[in-house]
Amino acid sequence: MSDFEPKLVCFSCRFGWGYLADQHALSAQIKNWIPIICSGKVDAIQVLDAFKHGADGVLILGCPAGECHYQDGNEESKKRVLLLQKLLDACGIEPARVRMEMSLDPEGKKIPGLVKNMTETIRKLGPVKMS
Amino acid sequence: MVAKPKVAIAWLGSCGGCDEAVVDLNEALLDVTNAVDVIFWPVALDFKYHHLEKMTDGDIVLSIINGHVRNSEQEEVAKLLRKKSKLVLSFGSCACFGGTPGMANFRTKEDIFNWVYRDAPTVVNPQGNYPQVKTKVDGKELTLPAFYEQVYALNQIIDVDYYLPGCPPPPDLIANAVNAVLQGKLPPKGSTLAPHKALCDSCKRNKTKPQKIAIKELKRIHEIEASPDICFLAQGVLCLGLATRDGCGAVCIETNIPCRGCFGPVEGVKDAGAKTIAALASMLDVHSDDEMEKAVNSIDDLAGYLYRFSLPVSTLKKRRV
């Protein structure tokens, strides 16, 4: 398992994360980084599709509670993550493979660190068993 | 005299309810049998598999197949009927999505065998016998179909032309489907012969559904004295009508039981459970982390609830070990 390099997909809300950063420089540091308009846009289907297409973990970065540009998209996303973790657990996929972080980071300085931390968590879990 | 079109009705992993639904056509069944020759229907008539094998390929106009596939006999019958039939109708929720037996995919084959033949309190099996595909008894070899690792929907085994979900499908949709075949008025291959919208759309209780549903804690139907007229969601009971295909006639709702999703997801949605999550999340009126976790953890067997009929065709399909 030592040569296992986890594949992570990171969705982040453009309103709270990395909007002041040099997008090209930041995306060079983060593989599979998908900035989106509101974390509430991420559906459970898209997370499952990410796993189906080879992701070993999915990280969703949303705005802090009460600070969503669209009222409560971040909270909707958080609830979906908690519900989806139940489905994953019932099917033998570790809930820690989906994580949501609610914070503010306009310069995107924290994103590479968060991705790295989660990558290390996933490395211990091993590849996701989708088939 | 022109030969009547040949029709086969087969059950695979099935409870018999789908065959009963065909019988429930009542007098209309006589019209059907006047119009077609039922050449295979194990529940009702004595025909053997070798009768089917002798038929010319494509000789059967329509095979109506119910039940899921979990063993080698079921797979063999499904493939034989596919070979002999022009059209195959996947009939009922088990054939269409795996059905309630599909929830067995939350357990491994090993878990199931250990429980059924060793651990269940009512089991007496001192020699520890487990089913074998081949067994020698008195010098003779007895055989059993092989039990597969998981439950499959029919279209995961053979090519299917049309789908008619339901547990079981209602008589009006069965009659429509059979008439459509007989009259050659069929929609494009792969269609589901049922409405496209969600059950909420035709539910009588829909007018009592509030603009914004706000549920602090989900209740199960036996935990409350449910009103027979008010939307279940407004009463805090999880009803899957909002994400389930219409066409059942709301028979569960009529008996004051919330929709459990037997008609499968609405048109265009592949994963019923994952899609329902979005709707469920928006209805949960909880905001802090503690409130969210409490609400989510209070739901018993969420995966079983959301994939009660459709686990084998979902993205996740089964439990991993």
Side-chain angles (χ1 to χ4, degrees):
Chain A
M1 203 59 75
S2 56
D3 57 350
F4 166 58
E5 190 52 45
K7 294 190 198 79
L8 205 76
V9 174
C10 173
F11 295 101
S12 73
C13 173
R14 280 186 194 273
F15 285 105
W17 295 78
Y19 58 86
L20 295 179
D22 175 345
Q23 302 280 309
H24 290 290
L26 198 53
S27 63
Q29 289 180 62
I30 314 163
K31 275 189 188 172
N32 308 314
W33 178 39
I34 308 171
I36 43 170
I37 305 289
C38 189
S39 59
K41 180 82 184 119
V42 184
D43 199 355
I45 299 253
Q46 281 138 4
V47 177
L48 290 177
D49 274 349
F51 285 126
K52 198 172 142 188
H53 288 101
D56 298 299
V58 176
L59 175 64
I60 302 168
L61 305 176
C63 298
E67 294 184 32
C68 176
H69 185 81
Y70 299 110
Q71 197 166 329
D72 60 359
N74 51 351
E75 289 181 32
E76 292 302 312
S77 189
K78 178 79 192 260
K79 284 184 274 181
R80 277 180 224 153
V81 166
L82 291 173
L83 291 165
L84 180 62
Q85 284 175 330
K86 289 268 175 192
L87 299 195
L88 293 174
D89 198 25
C91 289
I93 294 176
E94 300 83 353
R97 290 186 187 274
V98 187
R99 198 179 138 200
M100 172 134 188
E101 190 77 25
M102 289 163 79
S103 183
L104 206 58
D105 178 19
E107 291 172 356
K109 284 181 181 165
K110 287 193 281 182
I111 305 177
L114 286 165
V115 168
K116 189 165 181 290
N117 278 349
M118 188 161 172
T119 303
E120 292 316 310
T121 307
I122 305 293
R123 194 186 303 282
K124 287 177 197 144
L125 297 175
V128 70
K129 294 179 199 161
M130 274 310 278
S131 55
Chain B
M1 184 181 148
V2 182
K4 289 193 276 188
K6 295 184 176 74
V7 169
I9 305 173
W11 63 343
L12 305 177
S14 169
C15 67
C18 281
D19 293 276
E20 184 59 43
V22 177
V23 176
D24 281 347
L25 289 173
N26 296 327
E27 291 80 5
L29 188 58
L30 299 174
D31 296 335
V32 173
T33 49
N34 278 337
V36 303
D37 248 345
V38 179
I39 54 93
F40 183 81
W41 191 5
V43 168
L45 305 163
D46 186 21
F47 285 101
K48 309 294 185 198
Y49 294 157
H50 62 82
H51 293 156
L52 279 180
E53 282 160 7
K54 284 179 190 154
M55 294 181 74
T56 316
D57 290 358
D59 205 13
I60 301 171
V61 169
L62 171 70
S63 274
I64 299 171
I65 305 181
N66 68 70
H68 65 276
V69 176
R70 190 174 196 152
N71 69 37
S72 52
E73 182 187 5
Q74 291 154 358
E75 179 174 4
E76 205 179 308
V77 174
K79 286 183 172 168
L80 180 59
L81 282 169
R82 175 68 273 182
K83 200 173 153 199
K84 303 293 176 189
S85 312
K86 285 194 180 70
L87 294 174
V88 166
L89 173 65
S90 183
F91 189 89
S93 304
C94 294
C96 291
F97 323 115
T100 48
M103 281 197 290
N105 285 3
F106 284 125
R107 298 279 180 276
T108 62
K109 173 188 166 183
E110 193 186 1
D111 284 346
I112 293 168
F113 269 29
N114 285 344
W115 175 257
V116 173
Y117 297 103
R118 190 187 70 191
D119 301 335
T122 50
V123 171
V124 180
N125 184 6
Q127 292 178 322
N129 289 330
Y130 278 55
Q132 303 297 322
V133 179
K134 287 178 183 172
T135 317
K136 286 268 186 200
V137 178
D138 298 334
K140 289 176 183 159
E141 190 174 79
L142 303 179
T143 60
L144 276 178
F147 189 83
Y148 292 162
E149 291 292 332
Q150 68 188 80
V151 170
Y152 297 94
L154 189 61
N155 68 358
Q156 292 170 322
I157 301 293
I158 59 168
D159 186 36
V160 166
D161 297 289
Y162 295 102
Y163 299 85
L164 178 49
C167 186
D172 58 329
L173 294 187
I174 300 174
N176 286 349
V178 173
N179 287 333
V181 174
L182 293 177
Q183 293 163 12
K185 291 179 182 169
L186 282 161
K189 183 180 164 164
S191 297
T192 298
L193 308 177
H196 287 189
K197 289 185 174 177
L199 179 60
C200 280
D201 206 55
S202 69
C203 181
K204 279 184 200 162
R205 303 187 190 207
N206 201 341
K207 58 183 181 294
T208 66
K209 189 158 78 175
Q211 190 78 24
K212 167 86 181 159
I213 297 166
I215 302 171
K216 288 277 182 201
E217 191 184 349
L218 278 166
K219 298 274 193 325
R220 297 172 80 183
I221 186 66
H222 63 272
E223 292 173 333
I224 63 162
E225 206 162 307
S227 158
D229 305 309
I230 296 171
C231 170
F232 281 109
L233 296 167
Q235 300 184 64
V237 173
L238 181 53
C239 175
L240 297 184
L242 78 182
T244 301
R245 189 187 285 270
D246 193 6
C248 58
V251 280
C252 295
I253 310 262
E254 289 290 325
T255 54
N256 212 12
I257 295 290
C259 171
R260 290 165 294 184
C262 79
F263 257 62
V266 295
E267 190 74 10
V269 174
K270 286 215 159 55
D271 194 312
K275 201 67 194 166
T276 308
I277 278 186
L280 177 54
S282 69
M283 291 185 300
L284 288 176
D285 183 24
V286 287
H287 303 281
S288 72
D289 285 4
D290 283 353
E291 276 183 333
M292 283 186 196
E293 277 181 34
K294 196 178 157 209
V296 170
N297 289 331
S298 72
I299 308 170
D300 279 330
D301 189 16
L302 179 70
Y305 207 108
L306 300 188
Y307 289 121
R308 192 190 294 250
F309 293 93
S310 64
L311 183 62
V313 297
S314 69
T315 312
L316 294 168
K317 288 189 175 61
K318 61 177 180 175
R319 181 172 180 82
R320 286 111 184 113
V321 284

